[in-house]
Amino acid sequence: MKKIYFLLLAFTVFWGFAGFAQKQTAIYPKEVWPDSDGNHIQAHGGGIIKIKKTYYWYGEQRRQGLDSNYRYVSCYASKDLINWEFKGDAFKSTKPDTAIKGHRWVLERPKVYYNSKTKKYVMYMHLDGGIRGSKNPYAYDFARVGVAISDKPTGPFNYVKSFRPLGKESRDIGQFIDDDGSAYLIFESRPDKGFYIASLSEDYLNVEKEVAFIKSPLEGGAIVHYENKYYAVGSALTGWNPNPNKVATAPSLSGPWSEFVDIAPAETKTYGSQSTMFVKVVGKKATTVIFLGDVWKPRTQWDSRYLWMPVEIGEGKLWLPEPKPWTIDVKSGRWNYLNK
Ligand code: DGJ
């Protein structure tokens, strides 16, 4: 009997320590980022929303061993932006539209909005693939958004439909929620050589009105509202390869938008990352704006990393500092480097 008690105690202490060891205190840009189970976080091209005190991070699920007939959107939850618990694949689907030919279809850059009127969670995603008449099966000429809906932040999300927002070809999408809660979709439109910022319908199931069109061939569109300015960041059209991401500013979302300038030394190619969104942490003592970038590994996508860094921002300037491990206290809103 004593032996059993001893074993039980040893087991509890071991798991206590194991759990403790998994608790992280910092964000390490470009490193493997373990979730609370110790697995590298799979939420690429992602989006984040905050519901009460919990952040939900959705993204492309690209772990090894997935069923190749499906595409998946993962969901992680965190209260501190550093430690993330995997909540499962919130959305999973076989090819949602017969107009896409073959198996080489993609679901990219999922974003979830919470609609407080309908109490539904609405997911937008970029759906693409070669369609009839495409020159190659990898062609991204479906160019639509897909919409799925759920009662809970963690899903399951049910597919509703796909469409071209404002009737336009739409590839990379971005999410922007303004300080007053209004929800916008950012989408890149290749034929128009630029990206749109458009407001959503009351139920969020449609893209309703063009708010701005920024004529600059950029994707990975991300926007933040800081003090009295809007900042829009985007990446050049270089596929999975990094390039110098750029920022433009405007006094209001509808513009007028300034010229685009680099957000980091051009030769670093955004330190090897590509913009996906901003998270603004408004704490009791400070406001921190975090740049969320993807560090893609096209041949080993499951190993793609994240470059999250607080930016220097204000008075029309936005600059991404050299990535180094850092930490944040979401209550105060303050951040600092791990090793000063
Ligand atoms: C760049 C985009 O930003 C990614 O989301 C993905 O679509 C790749 N291009 C595909 O080449």
Side-chain angles (χ1 to χ4, degrees):
M1 197 62 177
K2 256 189 189 162
K3 209 172 168 186
I4 291 176
Y5 277 129
F6 176 76
L7 276 174
L8 252 166
L9 185 72
F11 188 75
T12 318
V13 169
F14 172 78
W15 280 110
F17 271 114
F20 182 74
Q22 278 161 11
K23 182 107 179 132
Q24 294 167 85
T25 52
I27 291 174
Y28 296 82
K30 303 177 83 167
E31 301 290 324
V32 165
W33 191 342
D35 66 11
S36 56
D37 297 325
N39 301 314
H40 179 46
I41 295 175
Q42 295 288 336
H44 312 284
I48 290 186
I49 48 166
K50 192 179 181 195
I51 306 292
K52 293 188 184 138
K53 289 191 173 156
T54 304
Y55 291 94
Y56 291 93
W57 179 4
Y58 303 88
E60 297 160 23
Q61 169 62 269
R62 292 183 180 273
R63 70 172 175 268
Q64 285 177 282
L66 293 171
D67 182 335
S68 63
N69 292 311
Y70 288 84
R71 303 294 177 266
Y72 303 75
V73 178
S74 58
C75 173
Y76 293 81
S78 172
K79 292 221 189 302
D80 62 8
L81 288 172
I82 301 171
N83 292 279
W84 292 90
E85 188 188 343
F86 181 45
K87 294 292 195 182
D89 295 325
F91 180 67
K92 175 182 174 186
S93 176
T94 51
K95 196 163 56 181
D97 200 305
T98 50
I100 309 173
K101 301 293 158 206
H103 293 294
R104 295 203 171 100
W105 63 283
V106 298
L107 185 172
E108 293 180 345
R109 296 184 176 263
K111 316 285 174 211
V112 171
Y113 299 82
Y114 175 61
N115 188 308
S116 56
K117 290 196 187 107
T118 61
K119 309 234 176 320
K120 302 274 183 203
Y121 293 83
V122 180
M123 182 184 287
Y124 274 74
M125 62 195 88
H126 167 205
L127 289 178
D128 228 319
I131 53 175
R132 192 184 299 282
S134 301
K135 285 184 207 82
N136 73 66
Y138 293 102
Y140 274 46
D141 46 13
F142 187 60
R144 284 168 164 247
V145 292
V147 175
I149 195 164
S150 173
D151 293 330
K152 287 192 291 174
T154 49
F157 281 80
N158 294 312
Y159 184 75
V160 180
K161 60 180 173 180
S162 81
F163 63 97
R164 284 195 165 163
L166 309 176
K168 312 267 179 198
E169 285 189 19
S170 167
R171 292 186 175 81
D172 276 8
I173 57 166
Q175 168 180 33
F176 175 60
I177 298 169
D178 209 342
D179 296 340
D180 64 2
S182 352
Y184 301 89
L185 184 80
I186 306 159
F187 63 96
E188 187 255 329
S189 203
R190 207 63 55 99
D192 294 352
K193 298 192 173 58
F195 59 92
Y196 288 87
I197 304 167
S199 57
L200 301 184
S201 60
E202 218 178 320
D203 60 6
Y204 289 4
L205 295 177
N206 282 301
V207 172
E208 204 162 68
K209 191 168 153 269
E210 175 182 329
V211 174
F213 171 66
I214 308 185
K215 194 160 171 102
S216 200
L218 296 170
E219 59 186 5
I223 291 177
V224 63
H225 183 181
Y226 184 78
E227 293 175 344
N228 52 358
K229 280 209 169 7
Y230 290 82
Y231 297 74
V233 165
S235 124
L237 313 175
T238 57
W240 298 116
N241 300 321
N243 55 65
N245 290 190
K246 292 181 187 297
V247 63
T249 61
S252 87
L253 208 49
S254 55
W257 287 91
S258 70
E259 292 295 304
F260 279 90
V261 294
D262 290 337
I263 65 164
E267 66 279 9
T268 71
K269 299 188 175 165
T270 326
Y271 299 102
S273 71
Q274 184 190 20
S275 53
T276 186
M277 88 176 283
F278 286 103
V279 169
K280 183 162 83 170
V281 180
V282 182
K284 291 211 170 81
K285 304 268 189 239
T287 296
T288 293
V289 174
I290 309 169
F291 168 86
L292 273 56
D294 290 291
V295 178
W296 299 110
K297 303 214 174 175
R299 286 194 188 86
T300 49
Q301 281 284 15
W302 58 89
D303 189 35
S304 292
R305 311 283 173 87
Y306 312 97
L307 188 162
W308 286 22
M309 272 310 290
V311 290
E312 293 161 17
I313 188 168
E315 286 161 22
K317 298 214 157 48
L318 185 151
W319 188 251
L320 176 67
E322 192 185 337
K324 286 185 196 143
W326 59 283
T327 189
I328 188 163
D329 169 29
V330 292
K331 286 199 188 89
S332 70
R334 285 185 172 140
W335 75 276
N336 54 268
Y337 287 112
L338 198 53
N339 307 303
K340 275 182 227 155

